[in-house]
């Protein structure tokens, strides 16, 4: 059930999904120590940060297929920046 809600929020927008996840769950606090790094991720690389929060496991961190999820988030972030730069030309 939680996974479906998480996917629905991500479809709305990564920043909205990350803020809602941060406010109503402890997933962001488990994945990061402190506020600075998730806040920077929220502003600069929201898909990557959201993928990291989703893939993080408390004892082992991010492993295996979790890194593929984070990499897909990074590619989404880079493609959104690239398409924005291309549209301005």
């Amino acid at each position: 059930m939680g996974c479906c809600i998480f996917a629905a929020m991500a479809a709305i927008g990564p920043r909205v999904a990350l803020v809602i996840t941060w406010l109503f769950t402890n997933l962001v606090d488990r994945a990061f120590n402190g506020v600075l790094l998730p806040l920077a991720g929220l502003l600069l690389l929201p898909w990557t940060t959201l993928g990291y929060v989703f893939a993080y496991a408390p004892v082992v961190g991010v492993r295996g297929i979790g890194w593929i999820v984070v990499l897909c988030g990074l590619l989404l972030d880079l493609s959104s920046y690239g398409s924005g730069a291309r549209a301005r030309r």
Side-chain angles (χ1 to χ4, degrees):
M1 173 83 177
C3 183
C4 296
I5 294 170
F6 186 80
M9 287 187 307
I12 295 170
R15 287 182 176 94
V16 172
L18 191 58
V19 167
I20 290 172
T21 302
W22 201 347
L23 291 175
F24 295 111
T25 68
N26 66 347
L27 294 175
V28 177
D29 296 328
R30 284 191 324 191
F32 296 103
N33 292 328
V35 176
L36 188 62
L37 196 57
L39 189 60
L42 178 71
L43 297 175
L44 300 174
L45 299 170
W47 284 111
T48 306
T49 307
L50 195 60
Y52 186 83
V53 166
F54 180 66
Y56 184 80
V59 175
V60 295
V62 178
R63 299 176 109 189
I65 197 140
W67 284 114
I68 294 172
V69 171
V70 174
L71 181 64
C72 288
L74 180 63
L75 292 175
L76 282 169
D77 284 328
L78 294 177
S79 69
S80 68
Y81 286 132
S83 65
R86 185 178 180 122
R88 283 190 293 270
R89 284 195 226 171

